[in-house]
Amino acid sequence: MIVKLPAILPGDLDLADINQQLRLHKIELDWSSVISAPESQLTVLLAGVDQVEDADWLISGDIAENIATDLINFFKKQKSKYKKPTSPKKSLVQDEHPTVWRLNKLLETKFIPASSDGKLFAEEFIPGENVVTAETPKILESQIPNASKIRDELEQAVLADLLGPAGGEEEEVDEDNVSDRYLVGLLAPQIRHKGAQTLEKETLREVDCQQPELMDELAVVGKGTAEEGTTEVSIPPAESMFPSSFGMTFCVSSAAKALQITSGWGQYKRGKSTNITKKDDTPKIVWKRQQIREKSPSIPLIAGEIAQWIVHPDYPQVYVQGKIRQQSNGGWIVSLFLINGQKEPAKLRDEAWLFQPELSVTSADTQHPDIFLKRHQPRNLGKLDPVIYAEEKAMAMLYRKQVEFAIGHGVSIHAETAQNTTERAIKLSTSIVPVYEVPKTSPPQADEIPELAGLVLDMQELGTTATADFPTKLNPLITAYTTWIWQQTQRISHPKN
């Protein structure tokens, strides 16, 4: 929400209340009408506000030059006033936590212990005065996020910026086009406007001229599989930078009877804002988001085409369709696609686009949710070239515990596995931006394996090592064993009298 400040502060406003909302990032300040801002009033309005951390909420719209100068001078004085004093006490946070850079932001919104009885009170954080020392109770330490949590927050911020919705499911986007705001997770209308299609084809031609290798056929000629369909290398890729559909193919247990699909997207339409106003206080026209998310009726597992399921009655051209095939062992192979079959209008084109699309599938029987099985070996290894056969067998051995439940078509797939097993899943869902947690790998140290003492891995030292000395530096285990054998030999050859 934008709060328009009066010509002369404070006017009719409660500056202390405005300050509290500003620090919680609930409001933005419109300075366009302000002609006088006494320092005493700025002290109340901007107490505890950081000109960097709170910059996005501090100023909205235009500001008079003299008021801007007053604000700059105000923050300079505050910075000088609260310069961190020298103290013999060391900061506990600085000594024990690598995330000290987030301390100021943390203390502005958290509670600080007030007495020994454990009661807390809200206290304004003043840089340099509220110093966390060894006497500070441990409760404050537990409020400081660790590096893993900060990384997770950064990951979510990046995803929100690229995919959205950054402002929540009912966000408002104050930009010309939503398709310029979010860069991934877009399903274009199947019938594009003529001007847009021409522009897209010209762009594709430029890409093809610059990178002809993009047109290379990547498929391997050979017999197709039931999961992947027949391989066709004679069909060129579709000339489209923006797909109109995505989907998945997966295996289902023979014991399953029916599926249930959940699908949705973010629908953006132009409308009057409830939070953003123009300079004349009238609502601004923005892109307003509506969350579409619906569940399908139960879909019986019967071989053949899956009838089109219209996700939402207001958008009859957006639907899910697919195909069910039965395997020789009685199981099922299912393909599902979310399709944006809308026609793009000449104006307000983003209203026909699907943003943040999603597609997921579960069992229709809640008593038997773990119906999704891992994919089997797609090819008959015995008929392959011996070299390829050996490689396939090696890969199968190496990744024997890595289970693949589905193939994504134009999108990645995330599988939610059942409890106490990794070979069955209870839910499959699309993932626009796939995430994989790489396990930490740390080489063992000598304190863990004493025999590694003396092992040299420093490349600078090894680069100046004589060839004869390599076994000593690189094979401490062999050296120790050789030494032991030599000692035993000497003991046998020269026994004590």
Side-chain angles (χ1 to χ4, degrees):
M1 182 177 69
I2 297 178
V3 175
K4 190 170 186 177
L5 299 176
I8 302 177
L9 295 181
D12 297 328
L13 298 178
D14 182 353
L15 296 187
D17 180 65
I18 297 297
N19 169 263
Q20 184 69 18
Q21 296 185 60
L22 177 63
R23 292 170 63 180
L24 294 176
H25 298 167
K26 292 184 177 180
I27 61 172
E28 297 179 39
L29 299 184
D30 183 355
W31 297 78
S32 59
S33 300
V34 180
I35 60 176
S36 176
E39 183 176 346
S40 58
Q41 304 302 327
L42 290 178
T43 302
V44 178
L45 176 63
L46 304 178
V49 175
D50 188 287
Q51 65 184 107
V52 176
E53 294 289 335
D54 305 317
D56 292 337
W57 294 268
L58 185 59
I59 299 176
S60 175
D62 300 327
I63 183 172
E65 184 176 352
N66 65 308
I67 301 301
T69 303
D70 291 342
L71 288 177
I72 293 173
N73 293 334
F74 171 82
F75 283 114
K76 284 183 177 180
K77 289 182 180 180
Q78 296 301 307
K79 185 176 181 181
S80 175
K81 178 179 179 181
Y82 297 127
K83 185 177 294 184
K84 185 175 180 180
T86 56
S87 172
K89 297 179 180 179
K90 293 185 178 180
S91 169
L92 184 64
V93 175
Q94 290 178 350
D95 289 345
E96 298 184 2
H97 297 276
T99 55
V100 65
W101 58 275
R102 289 196 52 168
L103 180 60
N104 289 7
K105 185 176 181 180
L106 174 72
L107 294 182
E108 288 179 14
T109 56
K110 297 294 182 182
F111 289 99
I112 295 179
S115 60
S116 59
D117 59 5
K119 294 182 179 180
L120 306 177
F121 70 99
E123 179 180 57
E124 178 185 342
F125 173 69
I126 302 177
E129 294 189 6
N130 303 97
V131 180
V132 182
T133 64
E135 289 78 16
T136 305
K138 293 292 184 181
I139 187 173
L140 184 58
E141 294 183 51
S142 64
Q143 297 171 348
I144 299 176
N146 55 31
S148 178
K149 185 176 180 181
I150 294 175
R151 186 198 64 177
D152 292 340
E153 292 178 0
L154 177 61
E155 178 184 311
Q156 293 303 316
V158 172
L159 289 178
D161 187 63
L162 295 177
L163 175 62
E169 291 192 347
E170 297 182 357
E171 72 170 348
E172 295 181 349
V173 177
D174 186 17
E175 297 187 28
D176 293 338
N177 299 293
V178 188
S179 53
D180 292 335
R181 170 64 180 85
Y182 297 122
L183 304 180
V184 299
L186 291 74
L187 289 184
Q190 206 169 47
I191 305 174
R192 299 291 304 279
H193 184 262
K194 185 176 180 180
Q197 287 181 326
T198 302
L199 178 61
E200 183 176 329
K201 287 183 177 180
E202 290 178 354
T203 305
L204 280 169
R205 290 194 192 100
E206 293 177 3
V207 173
D208 293 342
C209 291
Q210 296 170 5
Q211 302 181 32
E213 67 274 13
L214 294 181
M215 296 300 292
D216 290 346
E217 295 173 341
L218 301 180
V220 177
V221 180
K223 185 177 179 181
T225 65
E227 293 99 330
E228 300 174 1
T230 303
T231 301
E232 297 179 350
V233 297
S234 60
I235 300 177
E239 286 194 358
S240 177
M241 293 180 63
F242 303 102
S244 299
S245 64
F246 66 25
M248 66 177 87
T249 297
F250 50 90
C251 301
V252 181
S253 168
S254 59
K257 302 300 181 183
L259 303 173
Q260 186 172 57
I261 304 170
T262 301
S263 186
W265 67 91
Q267 181 68 48
Y268 289 83
K269 290 189 175 182
R270 296 290 281 179
K272 293 183 178 180
S273 172
T274 57
N275 302 316
I276 305 174
T277 60
K278 300 179 182 179
K279 293 182 180 180
D280 58 359
D281 288 337
T282 59
K284 195 171 184 180
I285 303 299
V286 297
W287 289 98
K288 306 185 70 173
R289 187 183 189 276
Q290 175 191 4
Q291 177 63 55
I292 305 292
R293 186 181 291 114
E294 301 291 340
K295 289 187 176 181
S296 73
S298 178
I299 299 175
L301 285 166
I302 302 174
E305 301 288 337
I306 299 176
Q308 289 186 3
W309 167 54
I310 297 175
V311 180
H312 194 281
D314 293 345
Y315 306 95
Q317 300 303 317
V318 181
Y319 53 89
V320 175
Q321 71 177 29
K323 187 175 183 179
I324 300 176
R325 291 162 288 179
Q326 191 166 25
Q327 301 184 84
S328 58
N329 62 2
W332 305 93
I333 294 176
V334 183
S335 295
L336 296 175
F337 288 89
L338 172 63
I339 300 173
N340 181 10
Q342 299 182 95
K343 181 178 181 180
E344 186 179 51
K347 297 182 179 180
L348 302 179
R349 297 178 182 176
D350 284 353
E351 291 189 357
W353 287 60
L354 306 187
F355 296 88
Q356 301 98 36
E358 56 189 68
L359 179 66
S360 63
V361 59
T362 58
S363 172
D365 184 2
T366 56
Q367 298 299 320
H368 301 88
D370 55 341
I371 64 172
F372 303 105
L373 307 178
K374 67 176 182 178
R375 293 180 61 238
H376 297 289
Q377 189 64 252
R379 289 185 286 182
N380 184 356
L381 297 181
K383 295 182 179 181
L384 295 179
D385 177 90
V387 177
I388 300 178
Y389 173 79
E391 182 180 4
E392 291 276 2
K393 295 291 287 185
M395 293 298 101
M397 179 63 182
L398 183 61
Y399 298 104
R400 63 190 182 278
K401 296 183 179 180
Q402 304 299 319
V403 180
E404 184 181 37
F405 289 98
I407 296 175
H409 305 294
V411 69
S412 294
I413 306 299
H414 173 73
E416 183 179 338
T417 56
Q419 292 184 348
N420 303 322
T421 181
T422 59
E423 296 192 354
R424 282 181 174 262
I426 60 176
K427 182 179 181 180
L428 303 176
S429 55
T430 55
S431 177
I432 302 296
V433 183
V435 176
Y436 180 75
E437 185 75 18
V438 180
K440 181 180 179 180
T441 56
S442 299
Q445 303 298 321
D447 55 348
E448 300 173 310
I449 304 178
E451 290 81 1
L452 290 178
L455 176 65
V456 177
L457 297 177
D458 183 77
M459 297 305 296
Q460 183 175 3
E461 181 176 347
L462 292 175
T464 58
T465 299
T467 303
D469 295 334
F470 272 113
T472 303
K473 294 187 176 183
L474 293 179
N475 300 310
L477 293 175
I478 296 177
T479 302
Y481 181 72
T482 303
T483 302
W484 181 83
I485 292 294
W486 181 82
Q487 292 174 346
Q488 299 303 314
T489 303
Q490 292 298 312
R491 183 177 302 175
I492 296 173
S493 302
H494 306 281
K496 294 182 179 179
N497 296 326

